[in-house]
């Protein structure tokens, strides 16, 4: 909602020294979100005056039409002589009043005006369009042509209200009253403690039996309908400058007088209105639900097929408007047209004004169903004051009579469904208990009265809610009004006192350690949405019977293209990798921890829990029983350079070993060493995929996979070549862990290092050899590291040599050479038995 400060001052007598920034601070303190204050006309400097076009000479020989004009600007140029100006616009003629900026002036955007030679002539200034003055768009698309009554030489800055401040307010869904000058003015008056001149306080004639006939067939969808008729409108009448400028400042485009007036009153009072050309309405106006398949062409020129839930305005022919959203083209106010033969101006001369109140839910659903959001629907779905309909209709009639020379017919139609004011019972000290501060009954009652409530009672208040605040429905809403008006900044700051012995669980600590460890290893956390399309499993190369293809689908997904919940973290991570690589970030290491979702063993429909009491343990258990299984996973993707090149070296690209190392980094935070075996699974390259195992209560359990992605997956996702990934089940890692990670004990005894080179078949995984060596070496083995891989003539065709460094140490003594050698020989013997390894050179 854009609120011009000059317009706001009409309803609240703000101090003359108050700026838009001051008002912004007050409204923000009161709970309104004022995003910014726009300074209109900032840097604008005259002379900018009204001029009269005296002559126009068409200049020939140029690619586009150019005109050389003389304009009378009075004494504004200091001489009284006509001003010579070159202009390319075509929408003005001799005798028209225009806006002229003279040399020495500065337009918005720091555009200085000076005499300059152009198209063979010297132009002493400019004839201005609305865009050049920062006024916003209008219907002319060219030079501003003023009404003839404005005198030559008049200051156009004041005439066009070019200097102003506009507050841009982000109105929340519950504050529909603030989508109007009336609502914002009320908040401003409360903030400053000043009286409000309510623009809705008008003398409105009582309804009678000879107004325009209206039939409401759906009183739930439309509980109030006011109709007024104005005849004798001048089709040549134009919106005055002040009306156009207020609409432009509020962010709306002037169209025609009748439409501009309805828009103006909507902004002023918050009540959407619609004007019908009475000569085009066939019979009584009706309000009903649409018949399935009915068609309506709306004002935007779109033919729409209506739904049975749509609320429509009708006449004898059928729908003539989508209620509360947009009118129909068949009763549109006609633009004035001059008959070329007779010179007679034709246009709409009789209008029927509609001011109605529609059901907020019905309007919101209709607008979304037709993907048609309008200023009217935006207000109706947030809540419109039903009591303001009659005043809005009267205000519209008054302006049509004043500005278009019309005559208001005496007939007044008002159909109202019976309703009683809403009341809420609340303890007088309820705001005190919510805020933790003592306000007292007098303050509570005073603040509620300021927002329009009536409050009666002592310890127990009975509060009558004003018609313009449909969001006030319960005691907490009233407490919020008291608290925000007293000032959120005045609430005491109280730190919670957690009971001793509580804090993060061991599971939470593990998750945090994992995140810190991966970040320390150079990975960047990249959370993603948990929604996927089922087609992504084809891109990942999963088998048809893979368990990850069994998904949980959402009834109301954010996107119809992604209706399922993820069963793996890879789709989100790979999409993030592709997006970053496409934007020039080629060296990437990303990770994510998050839940994945698998259907439960006993799928069912969750029962709706009660809201008026705490659910029972049985109800909570029944709800949990149908929830999907939600293990927490950790995933990582790597692409590009893992080590950057520089003066220190050549660097190296990321490969499958980096993905496995990322998995080991995760496992180490749980005090585990992963068992790595060669494997094969959907997204990974069949020759560069590792299966990662841990032992849970002595049982070898698969925890995840790591390695280089399959080329088909890389191509399907549009990833960099040789991209790598890993994914682990953190819940399995947690179960395999030993709780709190213990610091390693440091031995004071020296280490004994033994190197061993083994020749194995080329297809034997290095991890299998390493596992066999570890198992055979026994308890004395402290660590094992593969430091060289060789294949060539010296080891024979189809063979490879793997060289390992084995470190042996005892906790209570210095190992002898014989002990270290025996441990090494035992390790080699186990490797030979398990993998067929032979000592190189033996």
């Amino acid at each position: 909602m854009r609120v011009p400060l000059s317009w706001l001052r009409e309803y609240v007598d703000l101090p003359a020294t108050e700026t838009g920034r001051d008002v912004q601070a007050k409204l923000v303190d009161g709970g309104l979100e004022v995003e910014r204050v726009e300074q209109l006309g900032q840097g604008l400097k005259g002379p900018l005056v009204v001029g009269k076009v005296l002559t126009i000479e068409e200049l020939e020989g140029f690619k586009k039409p150019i005109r050389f004009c003389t304009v009378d600007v009075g004494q504004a140029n200091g001489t009284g002589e006509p001003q010579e100006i070159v202009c390319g616009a075509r929408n003005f003629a001799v005798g028209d009043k225009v806006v002229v900026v003279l040399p020495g002036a500065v337009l918005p955007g720091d555009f200085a005006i000076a005499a300059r030679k152009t198209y063979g002539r010297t132009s002493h200034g400019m004839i201005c369009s609305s865009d050049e003055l920062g006024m916003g768009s209008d219907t002319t698309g060219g030079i501003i042509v003023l009404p003839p009554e404005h005198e030559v030489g008049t200051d156009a800055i004041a005439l066009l209200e070019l200097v102003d401040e506009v507050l841009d307010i982000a109105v929340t869904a519950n504050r529909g009253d603030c989508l109007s000058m009336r609502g914002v003015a009320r908040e401003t008056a409360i903030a400053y403690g000043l009286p409000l001149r309510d623009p809705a306080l008008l003398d409105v004639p009582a309804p009678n039996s000879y107004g325009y006939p209206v039939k409401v067939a759906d009183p739930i969808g439309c509980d109030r309908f006011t109709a007024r008729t104005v005849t004798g409108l001048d089709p040549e009448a134009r919106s005055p400058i002040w009306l156009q400028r207020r609409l432009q400042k509020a962010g709306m485009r002037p169209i025609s007088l009748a439409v501009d007036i309805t828009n103006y009153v909507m902004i002023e009072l918050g009540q959407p209105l619609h004007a019908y050309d009475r000569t085009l309405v066939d019979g009584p106006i009706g309000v009903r639900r649409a018949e399935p398949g009915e068609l309506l062409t709306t004002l935007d020129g779109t033919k729409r097929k209506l739904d049975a839930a749509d609320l429509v305005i009708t006449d004898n022919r059928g729908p003539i408007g989508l209620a509360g959203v947009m009118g129909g083209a068949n009763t549109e106010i006609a633009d004035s047209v001059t008959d070329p033969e007779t010179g007679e101006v034709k246009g709409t001369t009789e209008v029927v004004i509609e001011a109605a109140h529609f059901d907020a839910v019905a309007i919101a659903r209709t607008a979304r169903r037709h993907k048609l959001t309008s200023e009217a629907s935006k207000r109706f779905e947030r809540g419109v004051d039903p009591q303001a309909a009659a005043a809005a209709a009267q205000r519209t009639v008054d302006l049509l009579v004043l500005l278009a020379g019309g005559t208001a017919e005496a007939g007044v139609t008002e159909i109202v469904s019976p309703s009683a004011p809403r009341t809420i019972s609340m303890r007088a000290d309820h705001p005190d208990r919510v805020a933790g501060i003592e306000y007292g009954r007098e303050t509570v009652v005073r603040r509620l009265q300021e927002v329009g409530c009536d409050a009666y009672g002592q310890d127990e208040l009975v509060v009558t809610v004003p018609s313009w605040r449909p969001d006030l429905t319960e005691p907490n809403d009233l407490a919020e009004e008291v608290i925000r008006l007293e000032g959120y900044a005045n609430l005491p700051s109280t730190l919670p006192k957690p009971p001793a012995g509580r804090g993060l669980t061991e599971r939470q600590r593990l998750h945090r350690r994992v995140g810190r460890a991966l970040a320390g290893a150079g990975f960047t956390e990249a959370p993603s949405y948990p929604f996927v399309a089922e087609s992504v499993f084809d891109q990942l190369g999963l088998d048809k019977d893979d368990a990850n293809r069994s998904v949980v689908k959402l009834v109301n997904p954010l996107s119809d293209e992604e209706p399922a919940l993820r069963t793996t973290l890879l789709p989100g991570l790979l999409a993030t990798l592709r997006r970053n690589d496409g934007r020039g970030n080629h060296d990437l290491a990303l990770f994510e921890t998050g839940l994945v979702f698998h259907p439960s063993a006993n799928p069912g429909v969750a029962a709706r829990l009660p809201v008026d009491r705490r659910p029972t343990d049985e109800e909570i258990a029944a709800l949990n029983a149908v929830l999907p299984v939600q293990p927490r996973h950790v995933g990582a993707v790597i692409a590009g350079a893992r080590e950057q090149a520089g003066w220190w070296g050549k660097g190296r690209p990321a490969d499958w070993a980096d993905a496995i190392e990322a998995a080991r980094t995760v496992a180490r935070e749980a005090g585990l060493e992963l068992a790595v075996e060669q494997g094969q699974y959907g997204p990974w390259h069949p020759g560069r995929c590792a299966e990662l195992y841990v032992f849970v209560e002595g049982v070898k359990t698969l925890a995840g996979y790591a390695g280089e992605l399959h080329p088909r997956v890389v191509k399907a996702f549009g990833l960099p070549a040789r991209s790598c990934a890993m994914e682990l089940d953190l819940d399995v890692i947690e179960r395999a862990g030993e709780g709190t990670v213990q610091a390693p004990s440091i031995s004071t005894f020296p280490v004994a290092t033994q190197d061993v080179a083994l020749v194995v078949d080329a297809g034997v995984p290095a991890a299998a050899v390493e596992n066999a060596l570890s198992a055979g070496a026994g308890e004395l083995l402290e660590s094992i590291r593969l430091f060289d891989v060789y294949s060539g003539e010296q080891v024979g065709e189809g063979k490879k040599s793997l060289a390992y460094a084995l470190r042996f140490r005892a906790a209570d003594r210095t190992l002898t050479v014989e002990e270290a050698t025996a441990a090494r020989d035992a390790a080699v013997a186990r490797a030979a038995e398990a993998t067929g390894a032979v000592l190189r050179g033996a």
Side-chain angles (χ1 to χ4, degrees), residues 605-742:
V605 178
R608 291 182 179 272
L609 296 181
V611 295
D612 57 342
R613 58 175 175 81
R614 184 190 182 280
T616 64
D617 293 340
E618 291 76 13
E619 289 171 329
I620 295 175
L623 176 63
N624 289 332
V626 298
L627 290 178
V629 179
Q630 303 175 52
R632 182 172 289 274
H633 282 201
V634 56
V637 292
I638 318 169
R642 188 65 178 130
E643 295 178 2
Q644 295 292 334
W647 59 264
W648 52 86
K650 295 181 179 180
R652 67 173 182 85
D655 61 17
W656 56 268
D658 295 300
I660 296 176
E661 182 58 27
R664 284 177 166 147
T665 298
V666 172
R668 279 194 289 269
E669 294 303 316
L672 299 174
E673 283 294 332
L674 292 173
V676 180
E677 297 183 6
Q678 185 176 10
Q680 184 172 343
Y681 182 64
W684 281 275
H685 191 296
R688 298 166 189 157
C689 173
E691 292 179 349
L692 309 174
Y693 290 93
V694 293
F695 288 88
V696 180
E697 297 178 353
V699 178
K700 187 179 181 181
T701 305
L702 180 65
Y705 298 89
E708 183 180 318
L709 292 172
H710 197 291
R712 286 197 296 266
V713 175
V714 170
K715 182 178 179 181
F717 281 91
L719 305 175
R722 309 295 295 269
S723 294
C724 302
M726 79 84 182
E727 184 168 7
L728 288 175
D729 188 331
L730 268 181
D731 288 354
V732 171
I733 297 294
E734 181 193 0
R735 292 198 301 272
E738 300 177 354
T740 304
V741 178
Q742 299 295 321

Side-chain angles (χ1 to χ4, degrees), residues 503-517:
L504 296 177
T505 64
E506 184 55 39
R507 184 169 191 258
Q508 291 169 327
R509 291 193 186 98
L510 173 61
H511 295 164
R512 294 196 178 188
R513 290 200 307 271
V514 165
R516 286 195 295 266

Side-chain angles (χ1 to χ4, degrees), residues 213-401:
V214 175
K215 298 178 181 178
V216 177
D218 189 342
I220 295 177
C222 176
D223 57 8
R224 184 180 293 264
F225 196 107
T226 300
R228 301 287 300 276
T229 305
V230 181
T231 60
L233 301 178
D234 179 6
E236 292 187 275
R238 297 173 54 190
S239 299
I241 291 174
W242 65 265
L243 178 57
Q244 294 187 44
R245 289 297 294 135
R246 286 192 170 179
L247 289 176
Q248 288 172 331
K249 292 176 186 179
M252 301 192 74
R253 182 171 59 91
I255 298 174
S256 64
L257 179 58
V259 176
D260 290 350
I261 287 174
T262 58
N263 286 336
Y264 176 84
V265 175
M266 176 184 67
I267 295 171
E268 184 179 49
L269 301 182
Q271 169 66 54
L273 301 109
H274 190 69
Y276 301 93
D277 188 327
R278 190 168 78 162
T279 62
L280 301 178
V281 180
D282 183 8
I285 291 176
V287 183
R288 62 170 172 82
R289 300 285 174 170
E291 298 292 336
E294 276 189 308
L295 299 176
L296 170 67
T297 301
T298 46
L299 288 174
D300 59 359
T302 303
K303 182 176 286 188
R304 304 183 185 276
K305 187 175 182 180
L306 303 180
D307 187 271
D310 292 336
L311 198 64
V312 292
I313 311 298
T314 65
D315 64 5
N316 289 336
R317 298 165 297 179
I320 61 172
L322 207 52
V325 180
M326 186 174 285
N330 54 353
T331 56
E332 182 179 6
I333 301 296
D335 294 331
S336 59
V337 178
T338 303
D339 190 316
E341 296 181 359
T342 64
E344 180 185 0
V345 179
K346 296 181 179 179
T348 298
T349 59
E350 301 179 10
V351 297
V352 177
I353 305 300
E354 166 207 304
H357 184 264
F358 301 111
D359 177 61
V361 174
I363 301 306
R365 288 177 175 171
T366 296
R368 284 156 179 75
R369 188 180 299 117
H370 293 280
K371 296 180 174 60
L372 181 63
T373 300
S374 64
E375 291 293 331
S377 68
K378 186 165 65 175
R379 286 165 171 79
F380 276 124
E381 65 186 47
R382 285 168 172 77
V384 169
D385 181 6
Q387 303 290 341
Q394 182 63 45
R395 178 73 165 136
T396 305
V397 168
D398 292 344
L399 289 173
L400 285 171
V401 171

Side-chain angles (χ1 to χ4, degrees), residues 757-779:
L758 302 176
V759 178
V760 296
D761 291 338
V764 175
V769 178
E770 182 177 319
N771 290 337
L773 289 171
S774 298
E779 296 181 354

